[in-house]
Amino acid sequence: MTGPSALVQQLADGEHLPADWRAPFEHVDRARFLPDRVWARVDGGYAPVDRADDPERWQRLAYRDEPVVTQVEDPPGAPVALTPSSSASMPSIVARMLAALQVEDGHRVLEIGTGVRHEVAHCK
């Protein structure tokens, strides 16, 4: 089974998701924050996976507890990308960072970064 609820259950089963963060993780779909093209690890580098061309593989990448490469800096047309330059953080790391933040109702959160903004969506 692949999807947001399966990812949340995997995080909870692995004791990576504090109970008070479960509801925000259930309501924020990681896939909505990923671009239509992500990059999967292959022998020797990274290969593109497009949502339209291979939706099942794209979705499997979106809902694993692993970082997802969202940008590479290699020349266009290179057979295999070698240099990832942006990614969506690993969900268990996001949960750990948010728990460490100790945010409470009424707090305001300013997120400064260049990633996919998935992390701050849990704070709404």
Side-chain angles (χ1 to χ4, degrees), residues 72-122:
V72 295
E73 291 299 325
D74 295 292
V80 176
L82 300 174
T83 313
S85 57
S86 186
S87 65
S89 298
M90 187 172 171
S92 59
I93 297 297
V94 171
R96 187 177 304 155
M97 290 187 305
L98 290 170
L101 181 61
Q102 299 180 353
V103 69
E104 297 177 18
D105 286 343
H107 285 178
R108 295 173 65 180
V109 177
L110 172 64
E111 192 267 349
I112 300 173
T114 59
V116 297
R117 308 288 193 273
H118 174 246
E119 296 84 356
V120 77
H122 293 94

mmCIF file of all heavy atoms in Angstrom, residues 72-122:
data_model
loop_
_atom_site.group_PDB
_atom_site.id
_atom_site.type_symbol
_atom_site.label_atom_id
_atom_site.label_comp_id
_atom_site.label_asym_id
_atom_site.label_seq_id
_atom_site.Cartn_x
_atom_site.Cartn_y
_atom_site.Cartn_z
ATOM 1 N N VAL A 72 18.495 18.574 -10.124
ATOM 2 C CA VAL A 72 19.893 18.221 -10.371
ATOM 3 C C VAL A 72 20.542 19.340 -11.174
ATOM 4 O O VAL A 72 19.857 20.115 -11.833
ATOM 5 C CB VAL A 72 20.033 16.870 -11.111
ATOM 6 C CG1 VAL A 72 19.524 15.721 -10.255
ATOM 7 C CG2 VAL A 72 19.323 16.892 -12.440
ATOM 8 N N GLU A 73 21.846 19.410 -11.119
ATOM 9 C CA GLU A 73 22.567 20.494 -11.786
ATOM 10 C C GLU A 73 23.442 20.027 -12.945
ATOM 11 O O GLU A 73 24.329 20.717 -13.354
ATOM 12 C CB GLU A 73 23.434 21.245 -10.771
ATOM 13 C CG GLU A 73 22.636 22.028 -9.770
ATOM 14 C CD GLU A 73 21.768 23.101 -10.402
ATOM 15 O OE1 GLU A 73 22.169 23.713 -11.416
ATOM 16 O OE2 GLU A 73 20.671 23.329 -9.881
ATOM 17 N N ASP A 74 23.210 18.844 -13.437
ATOM 18 C CA ASP A 74 24.019 18.331 -14.534
ATOM 19 C C ASP A 74 23.533 18.892 -15.866
ATOM 20 O O ASP A 74 22.400 19.356 -15.987
ATOM 21 C CB ASP A 74 23.970 16.803 -14.527
ATOM 22 C CG ASP A 74 24.615 16.252 -13.274
ATOM 23 O OD1 ASP A 74 25.835 16.398 -13.146
ATOM 24 O OD2 ASP A 74 23.895 15.716 -12.422
ATOM 25 N N PRO A 75 24.379 18.832 -16.894
ATOM 26 C CA PRO A 75 23.971 19.370 -18.194
ATOM 27 C C PRO A 75 22.722 18.668 -18.731
ATOM 28 O O PRO A 75 22.586 17.452 -18.558
ATOM 29 C CB PRO A 75 25.175 19.075 -19.098
ATOM 30 C CG PRO A 75 26.307 18.755 -18.189
ATOM 31 C CD PRO A 75 25.716 18.276 -16.908
ATOM 32 N N PRO A 76 21.838 19.409 -19.381
ATOM 33 C CA PRO A 76 20.646 18.789 -19.975
ATOM 34 C C PRO A 76 21.072 17.690 -20.952
ATOM 35 O O PRO A 76 22.046 17.829 -21.679
ATOM 36 C CB PRO A 76 19.958 19.936 -20.709
ATOM 37 C CG PRO A 76 20.476 21.177 -20.057
ATOM 38 C CD PRO A 76 21.867 20.847 -19.593
ATOM 39 N N GLY A 77 20.329 16.599 -20.916
ATOM 40 C CA GLY A 77 20.613 15.496 -21.824
ATOM 41 C C GLY A 77 21.674 14.541 -21.338
ATOM 42 O O GLY A 77 21.969 13.553 -22.008
ATOM 43 N N ALA A 78 22.273 14.816 -20.190
ATOM 44 C CA ALA A 78 23.274 13.892 -19.646
ATOM 45 C C ALA A 78 22.592 12.548 -19.392
ATOM 46 O O ALA A 78 21.456 12.505 -18.928
ATOM 47 C CB ALA A 78 23.870 14.439 -18.355
ATOM 48 N N PRO A 79 23.262 11.431 -19.714
ATOM 49 C CA PRO A 79 22.604 10.130 -19.562
ATOM 50 C C PRO A 79 22.214 9.804 -18.119
ATOM 51 O O PRO A 79 21.184 9.185 -17.872
ATOM 52 C CB PRO A 79 23.637 9.135 -20.084
ATOM 53 C CG PRO A 79 24.934 9.866 -20.124
ATOM 54 C CD PRO A 79 24.618 11.324 -20.212
ATOM 55 N N VAL A 80 23.026 10.228 -17.159
ATOM 56 C CA VAL A 80 22.739 10.026 -15.747
ATOM 57 C C VAL A 80 23.171 11.284 -15.002
ATOM 58 O O VAL A 80 24.277 11.775 -15.188
ATOM 59 C CB VAL A 80 23.494 8.803 -15.184
ATOM 60 C CG1 VAL A 80 23.252 8.671 -13.691
ATOM 61 C CG2 VAL A 80 23.082 7.529 -15.891
ATOM 62 N N ALA A 81 22.267 11.814 -14.187
ATOM 63 C CA ALA A 81 22.603 12.991 -13.382
ATOM 64 C C ALA A 81 23.457 12.562 -12.198
ATOM 65 O O ALA A 81 23.230 11.520 -11.598
ATOM 66 C CB ALA A 81 21.326 13.667 -12.901
ATOM 67 N N LEU A 82 24.446 13.372 -11.875
ATOM 68 C CA LEU A 82 25.352 13.044 -10.781
ATOM 69 C C LEU A 82 25.267 14.006 -9.604
ATOM 70 O O LEU A 82 25.732 13.689 -8.517
ATOM 71 C CB LEU A 82 26.800 13.023 -11.296
ATOM 72 C CG LEU A 82 27.107 12.019 -12.396
ATOM 73 C CD1 LEU A 82 28.532 12.211 -12.892
ATOM 74 C CD2 LEU A 82 26.881 10.605 -11.914
ATOM 75 N N THR A 83 24.686 15.199 -9.827
ATOM 76 C CA THR A 83 24.765 16.247 -8.820
ATOM 77 C C THR A 83 23.382 16.726 -8.378
ATOM 78 O O THR A 83 22.823 17.652 -8.957
ATOM 79 C CB THR A 83 25.577 17.440 -9.380
ATOM 80 O OG1 THR A 83 26.766 16.959 -9.983
ATOM 81 C CG2 THR A 83 25.903 18.428 -8.276
ATOM 82 N N PRO A 84 22.798 16.104 -7.340
ATOM 83 C CA PRO A 84 21.534 16.632 -6.828
ATOM 84 C C PRO A 84 21.773 17.975 -6.145
ATOM 85 O O PRO A 84 22.786 18.164 -5.475
ATOM 86 C CB PRO A 84 21.078 15.576 -5.825
ATOM 87 C CG PRO A 84 22.246 14.720 -5.543
ATOM 88 C CD PRO A 84 23.245 14.926 -6.629
ATOM 89 N N SER A 85 20.852 18.917 -6.350
ATOM 90 C CA SER A 85 21.028 20.251 -5.764
ATOM 91 C C SER A 85 19.844 20.685 -4.900
ATOM 92 O O SER A 85 19.895 21.734 -4.274
ATOM 93 C CB SER A 85 21.282 21.279 -6.862
ATOM 94 O OG SER A 85 20.229 21.276 -7.795
ATOM 95 N N SER A 86 18.782 19.886 -4.857
ATOM 96 C CA SER A 86 17.651 20.190 -3.982
ATOM 97 C C SER A 86 16.878 18.899 -3.734
ATOM 98 O O SER A 86 16.859 18.007 -4.579
ATOM 99 C CB SER A 86 16.741 21.234 -4.633
ATOM 100 O OG SER A 86 15.728 21.634 -3.724
ATOM 101 N N SER A 87 16.260 18.833 -2.566
ATOM 102 C CA SER A 87 15.494 17.623 -2.250
ATOM 103 C C SER A 87 14.406 17.936 -1.236
ATOM 104 O O SER A 87 14.444 18.954 -0.552
ATOM 105 C CB SER A 87 16.414 16.533 -1.701
ATOM 106 O OG SER A 87 16.963 16.922 -0.459
ATOM 107 N N ALA A 88 13.452 17.025 -1.159
ATOM 108 C CA ALA A 88 12.452 17.037 -0.099
ATOM 109 C C ALA A 88 13.008 16.150 1.008
ATOM 110 O O ALA A 88 13.415 15.015 0.773
ATOM 111 C CB ALA A 88 11.121 16.494 -0.607
ATOM 112 N N SER A 89 13.039 16.670 2.207
ATOM 113 C CA SER A 89 13.640 15.955 3.327
ATOM 114 C C SER A 89 12.927 14.644 3.629
ATOM 115 O O SER A 89 11.734 14.476 3.358
ATOM 116 C CB SER A 89 13.612 16.830 4.583
ATOM 117 O OG SER A 89 14.359 17.997 4.381
ATOM 118 N N MET A 90 13.662 13.756 4.243
ATOM 119 C CA MET A 90 13.138 12.470 4.688
ATOM 120 C C MET A 90 12.050 12.718 5.735
ATOM 121 O O MET A 90 12.271 13.461 6.697
ATOM 122 C CB MET A 90 14.314 11.684 5.274
ATOM 123 C CG MET A 90 14.053 10.303 5.647
ATOM 124 S SD MET A 90 15.681 9.594 6.080
ATOM 125 C CE MET A 90 15.152 8.048 6.748
ATOM 126 N N PRO A 91 10.841 12.144 5.577
ATOM 127 C CA PRO A 91 9.750 12.426 6.502
ATOM 128 C C PRO A 91 10.073 12.181 7.979
ATOM 129 O O PRO A 91 9.642 12.956 8.837
ATOM 130 C CB PRO A 91 8.623 11.514 6.016
ATOM 131 C CG PRO A 91 8.877 11.416 4.543
ATOM 132 C CD PRO A 91 10.380 11.343 4.426
ATOM 133 N N SER A 92 10.837 11.147 8.296
ATOM 134 C CA SER A 92 11.164 10.913 9.711
ATOM 135 C C SER A 92 12.064 12.022 10.256
ATOM 136 O O SER A 92 11.961 12.388 11.434
ATOM 137 C CB SER A 92 11.815 9.547 9.911
ATOM 138 O OG SER A 92 12.995 9.418 9.150
ATOM 139 N N ILE A 93 12.905 12.598 9.411
ATOM 140 C CA ILE A 93 13.743 13.729 9.833
ATOM 141 C C ILE A 93 12.869 14.967 10.031
ATOM 142 O O ILE A 93 13.063 15.735 10.977
ATOM 143 C CB ILE A 93 14.871 14.001 8.819
ATOM 144 C CG1 ILE A 93 15.808 12.799 8.736
ATOM 145 C CG2 ILE A 93 15.611 15.285 9.139
ATOM 146 C CD1 ILE A 93 16.549 12.477 10.016
ATOM 147 N N VAL A 94 11.898 15.164 9.139
ATOM 148 C CA VAL A 94 10.959 16.281 9.290
ATOM 149 C C VAL A 94 10.231 16.170 10.621
ATOM 150 O O VAL A 94 10.118 17.148 11.370
ATOM 151 C CB VAL A 94 9.958 16.328 8.114
ATOM 152 C CG1 VAL A 94 8.856 17.346 8.368
ATOM 153 C CG2 VAL A 94 10.679 16.633 6.813
ATOM 154 N N ALA A 95 9.753 14.972 10.950
ATOM 155 C CA ALA A 95 9.049 14.776 12.225
ATOM 156 C C ALA A 95 9.963 15.087 13.403
ATOM 157 O O ALA A 95 9.545 15.742 14.361
ATOM 158 C CB ALA A 95 8.529 13.338 12.313
ATOM 159 N N ARG A 96 11.204 14.661 13.325
ATOM 160 C CA ARG A 96 12.154 14.920 14.418
ATOM 161 C C ARG A 96 12.425 16.417 14.550
ATOM 162 O O ARG A 96 12.467 16.958 15.660
ATOM 163 C CB ARG A 96 13.454 14.170 14.138
ATOM 164 C CG ARG A 96 14.428 14.257 15.295
ATOM 165 C CD ARG A 96 15.684 13.456 15.061
ATOM 166 N NE ARG A 96 15.347 12.068 14.782
ATOM 167 C CZ ARG A 96 16.146 11.254 14.090
ATOM 168 N NH1 ARG A 96 17.286 11.679 13.616
ATOM 169 N NH2 ARG A 96 15.785 10.008 13.873
ATOM 170 N N MET A 97 12.599 17.114 13.421
ATOM 171 C CA MET A 97 12.857 18.561 13.473
ATOM 172 C C MET A 97 11.661 19.314 14.044
ATOM 173 O O MET A 97 11.820 20.238 14.848
ATOM 174 C CB MET A 97 13.190 19.092 12.070
ATOM 175 C CG MET A 97 14.519 18.647 11.542
ATOM 176 S SD MET A 97 15.007 19.440 9.983
ATOM 177 C CE MET A 97 13.642 19.095 8.907
ATOM 178 N N LEU A 98 10.455 18.921 13.636
ATOM 179 C CA LEU A 98 9.264 19.607 14.126
ATOM 180 C C LEU A 98 9.051 19.367 15.620
ATOM 181 O O LEU A 98 8.659 20.279 16.345
ATOM 182 C CB LEU A 98 8.040 19.179 13.317
ATOM 183 C CG LEU A 98 8.028 19.683 11.876
ATOM 184 C CD1 LEU A 98 6.912 19.013 11.089
ATOM 185 C CD2 LEU A 98 7.918 21.188 11.814
ATOM 186 N N ALA A 99 9.326 18.160 16.080
ATOM 187 C CA ALA A 99 9.207 17.888 17.515
ATOM 188 C C ALA A 99 10.218 18.720 18.298
ATOM 189 O O ALA A 99 9.895 19.260 19.358
ATOM 190 C CB ALA A 99 9.410 16.397 17.789
ATOM 191 N N ALA A 100 11.420 18.854 17.765
ATOM 192 C CA ALA A 100 12.456 19.649 18.438
ATOM 193 C C ALA A 100 12.109 21.134 18.459
ATOM 194 O O ALA A 100 12.548 21.865 19.345
ATOM 195 C CB ALA A 100 13.805 19.433 17.761
ATOM 196 N N LEU A 101 11.311 21.572 17.501
ATOM 197 C CA LEU A 101 10.905 22.971 17.420
ATOM 198 C C LEU A 101 10.065 23.396 18.632
ATOM 199 O O LEU A 101 10.091 24.552 19.039
ATOM 200 C CB LEU A 101 10.117 23.197 16.123
ATOM 201 C CG LEU A 101 9.622 24.584 15.808
ATOM 202 C CD1 LEU A 101 10.787 25.559 15.669
ATOM 203 C CD2 LEU A 101 8.782 24.556 14.532
ATOM 204 N N GLN A 102 9.325 22.473 19.201
ATOM 205 C CA GLN A 102 8.465 22.733 20.353
ATOM 206 C C GLN A 102 7.464 23.862 20.080
ATOM 207 O O GLN A 102 7.189 24.702 20.935
ATOM 208 C CB GLN A 102 9.286 23.022 21.611
ATOM 209 C CG GLN A 102 10.167 21.874 22.012
ATOM 210 C CD GLN A 102 10.995 22.147 23.251
ATOM 211 O OE1 GLN A 102 11.030 23.248 23.772
ATOM 212 N NE2 GLN A 102 11.670 21.123 23.726
ATOM 213 N N VAL A 103 6.914 23.865 18.883
ATOM 214 C CA VAL A 103 5.928 24.874 18.522
ATOM 215 C C VAL A 103 4.608 24.579 19.239
ATOM 216 O O VAL A 103 4.250 23.425 19.456
ATOM 217 C CB VAL A 103 5.743 24.932 16.982
ATOM 218 C CG1 VAL A 103 5.075 23.690 16.432
ATOM 219 C CG2 VAL A 103 4.993 26.173 16.570
ATOM 220 N N GLU A 104 3.909 25.639 19.630
ATOM 221 C CA GLU A 104 2.633 25.516 20.330
ATOM 222 C C GLU A 104 1.608 26.410 19.648
ATOM 223 O O GLU A 104 1.962 27.323 18.891
ATOM 224 C CB GLU A 104 2.792 25.930 21.789
ATOM 225 C CG GLU A 104 3.751 25.048 22.571
ATOM 226 C CD GLU A 104 3.939 25.524 24.006
ATOM 227 O OE1 GLU A 104 3.099 26.305 24.493
ATOM 228 O OE2 GLU A 104 4.927 25.110 24.618
ATOM 229 N N ASP A 105 0.340 26.170 19.949
ATOM 230 C CA ASP A 105 -0.721 27.017 19.412
ATOM 231 C C ASP A 105 -0.407 28.468 19.733
ATOM 232 O O ASP A 105 0.006 28.795 20.851
ATOM 233 C CB ASP A 105 -2.078 26.639 20.012
ATOM 234 C CG ASP A 105 -2.613 25.332 19.456
ATOM 235 O OD1 ASP A 105 -2.128 24.887 18.407
ATOM 236 O OD2 ASP A 105 -3.524 24.767 20.088
ATOM 237 N N GLY A 106 -0.582 29.338 18.752
ATOM 238 C CA GLY A 106 -0.319 30.760 18.923
ATOM 239 C C GLY A 106 1.077 31.177 18.497
ATOM 240 O O GLY A 106 1.322 32.353 18.282
ATOM 241 N N HIS A 107 1.994 30.218 18.382
ATOM 242 C CA HIS A 107 3.340 30.557 17.902
ATOM 243 C C HIS A 107 3.292 30.837 16.404
ATOM 244 O O HIS A 107 2.469 30.282 15.683
ATOM 245 C CB HIS A 107 4.314 29.393 18.142
ATOM 246 C CG HIS A 107 4.744 29.241 19.552
ATOM 247 N ND1 HIS A 107 5.573 28.239 19.969
ATOM 248 C CD2 HIS A 107 4.461 29.964 20.664
ATOM 249 C CE1 HIS A 107 5.795 28.333 21.257
ATOM 250 N NE2 HIS A 107 5.117 29.379 21.710
ATOM 251 N N ARG A 108 4.162 31.684 15.958
ATOM 252 C CA ARG A 108 4.320 31.961 14.532
ATOM 253 C C ARG A 108 5.623 31.330 14.083
ATOM 254 O O ARG A 108 6.625 31.386 14.784
ATOM 255 C CB ARG A 108 4.326 33.459 14.287
ATOM 256 C CG ARG A 108 2.975 34.081 14.647
ATOM 257 C CD ARG A 108 2.999 35.559 14.569
ATOM 258 N NE ARG A 108 3.212 35.971 13.195
ATOM 259 C CZ ARG A 108 3.287 37.227 12.807
ATOM 260 N NH1 ARG A 108 3.169 38.186 13.690
ATOM 261 N NH2 ARG A 108 3.487 37.523 11.553
ATOM 262 N N VAL A 109 5.607 30.725 12.895
ATOM 263 C CA VAL A 109 6.772 30.026 12.382
ATOM 264 C C VAL A 109 7.187 30.662 11.063
ATOM 265 O O VAL A 109 6.374 30.807 10.154
ATOM 266 C CB VAL A 109 6.468 28.519 12.164
ATOM 267 C CG1 VAL A 109 7.661 27.810 11.548
ATOM 268 C CG2 VAL A 109 6.065 27.872 13.472
ATOM 269 N N LEU A 110 8.450 31.037 10.980
ATOM 270 C CA LEU A 110 9.013 31.563 9.734
ATOM 271 C C LEU A 110 9.956 30.518 9.193
ATOM 272 O O LEU A 110 10.939 30.163 9.833
ATOM 273 C CB LEU A 110 9.766 32.874 9.988
ATOM 274 C CG LEU A 110 10.553 33.424 8.794
ATOM 275 C CD1 LEU A 110 9.607 33.793 7.650
ATOM 276 C CD2 LEU A 110 11.380 34.630 9.231
ATOM 277 N N GLU A 111 9.653 29.994 8.015
ATOM 278 C CA GLU A 111 10.497 29.003 7.378
ATOM 279 C C GLU A 111 11.266 29.697 6.267
ATOM 280 O O GLU A 111 10.681 30.347 5.411
ATOM 281 C CB GLU A 111 9.637 27.866 6.820
ATOM 282 C CG GLU A 111 10.409 26.652 6.399
ATOM 283 C CD GLU A 111 10.790 26.635 4.930
ATOM 284 O OE1 GLU A 111 10.285 27.465 4.159
ATOM 285 O OE2 GLU A 111 11.605 25.789 4.557
ATOM 286 N N ILE A 112 12.568 29.591 6.317
ATOM 287 C CA ILE A 112 13.412 30.180 5.277
ATOM 288 C C ILE A 112 14.193 29.045 4.641
ATOM 289 O O ILE A 112 14.946 28.348 5.315
ATOM 290 C CB ILE A 112 14.374 31.231 5.863
ATOM 291 C CG1 ILE A 112 13.576 32.342 6.520
ATOM 292 C CG2 ILE A 112 15.298 31.767 4.780
ATOM 293 C CD1 ILE A 112 14.405 33.354 7.266
ATOM 294 N N GLY A 113 13.995 28.851 3.374
ATOM 295 C CA GLY A 113 14.703 27.768 2.699
ATOM 296 C C GLY A 113 14.432 27.796 1.211
ATOM 297 O O GLY A 113 13.707 28.655 0.707
ATOM 298 N N THR A 114 15.003 26.846 0.549
ATOM 299 C CA THR A 114 14.855 26.774 -0.901
ATOM 300 C C THR A 114 14.245 25.464 -1.336
ATOM 301 O O THR A 114 14.216 25.146 -2.506
ATOM 302 C CB THR A 114 16.227 26.931 -1.586
ATOM 303 O OG1 THR A 114 17.085 25.877 -1.125
ATOM 304 C CG2 THR A 114 16.837 28.280 -1.280
ATOM 305 N N GLY A 115 13.751 24.675 -0.390
ATOM 306 C CA GLY A 115 13.210 23.359 -0.696
ATOM 307 C C GLY A 115 11.761 23.411 -1.120
ATOM 308 O O GLY A 115 11.277 24.403 -1.664
ATOM 309 N N VAL A 116 11.040 22.339 -0.834
ATOM 310 C CA VAL A 116 9.664 22.196 -1.307
ATOM 311 C C VAL A 116 8.622 22.719 -0.332
ATOM 312 O O VAL A 116 7.442 22.687 -0.612
ATOM 313 C CB VAL A 116 9.359 20.720 -1.675
ATOM 314 C CG1 VAL A 116 10.239 20.258 -2.805
ATOM 315 C CG2 VAL A 116 9.489 19.812 -0.481
ATOM 316 N N ARG A 117 9.019 23.188 0.850
ATOM 317 C CA ARG A 117 8.147 23.803 1.865
ATOM 318 C C ARG A 117 7.212 22.802 2.539
ATOM 319 O O ARG A 117 6.244 23.173 3.163
ATOM 320 C CB ARG A 117 7.328 24.954 1.297
ATOM 321 C CG ARG A 117 8.098 26.015 0.559
ATOM 322 C CD ARG A 117 8.905 26.857 1.543
ATOM 323 N NE ARG A 117 9.424 28.063 0.942
ATOM 324 C CZ ARG A 117 10.567 28.146 0.306
ATOM 325 N NH1 ARG A 117 11.301 27.091 0.133
ATOM 326 N NH2 ARG A 117 11.005 29.282 -0.177
ATOM 327 N N HIS A 118 7.481 21.530 2.389
ATOM 328 C CA HIS A 118 6.656 20.500 2.992
ATOM 329 C C HIS A 118 6.672 20.594 4.516
ATOM 330 O O HIS A 118 5.658 20.400 5.179
ATOM 331 C CB HIS A 118 7.167 19.121 2.529
ATOM 332 C CG HIS A 118 6.511 17.966 3.166
ATOM 333 N ND1 HIS A 118 7.173 17.121 4.000
ATOM 334 C CD2 HIS A 118 5.240 17.504 3.090
ATOM 335 C CE1 HIS A 118 6.352 16.179 4.416
ATOM 336 N NE2 HIS A 118 5.173 16.388 3.878
ATOM 337 N N GLU A 119 7.824 20.922 5.089
ATOM 338 C CA GLU A 119 7.979 20.930 6.532
ATOM 339 C C GLU A 119 7.047 21.913 7.214
ATOM 340 O O GLU A 119 6.355 21.594 8.171
ATOM 341 C CB GLU A 119 9.431 21.248 6.920
ATOM 342 C CG GLU A 119 10.437 20.220 6.477
ATOM 343 C CD GLU A 119 10.907 20.413 5.034
ATOM 344 O OE1 GLU A 119 10.408 21.308 4.324
ATOM 345 O OE2 GLU A 119 11.789 19.654 4.623
ATOM 346 N N VAL A 120 7.027 23.149 6.723
ATOM 347 C CA VAL A 120 6.241 24.192 7.382
ATOM 348 C C VAL A 120 4.734 23.970 7.244
ATOM 349 O O VAL A 120 3.965 24.433 8.071
ATOM 350 C CB VAL A 120 6.670 25.592 6.886
ATOM 351 C CG1 VAL A 120 6.112 25.897 5.512
ATOM 352 C CG2 VAL A 120 6.303 26.651 7.890
ATOM 353 N N ALA A 121 4.316 23.224 6.252
ATOM 354 C CA ALA A 121 2.880 22.962 6.081
ATOM 355 C C ALA A 121 2.306 22.217 7.275
ATOM 356 O O ALA A 121 1.113 22.355 7.574
ATOM 357 C CB ALA A 121 2.650 22.152 4.808
ATOM 358 N N HIS A 122 3.124 21.466 7.997
ATOM 359 C CA HIS A 122 2.640 20.748 9.166
ATOM 360 C C HIS A 122 2.315 21.679 10.333
ATOM 361 O O HIS A 122 1.636 21.287 11.266
ATOM 362 C CB HIS A 122 3.687 19.713 9.622
ATOM 363 C CG HIS A 122 3.883 18.609 8.643
ATOM 364 N ND1 HIS A 122 4.866 18.649 7.683
ATOM 365 C CD2 HIS A 122 3.244 17.453 8.465
ATOM 366 C CE1 HIS A 122 4.813 17.558 6.968
ATOM 367 N NE2 HIS A 122 3.827 16.809 7.413
#
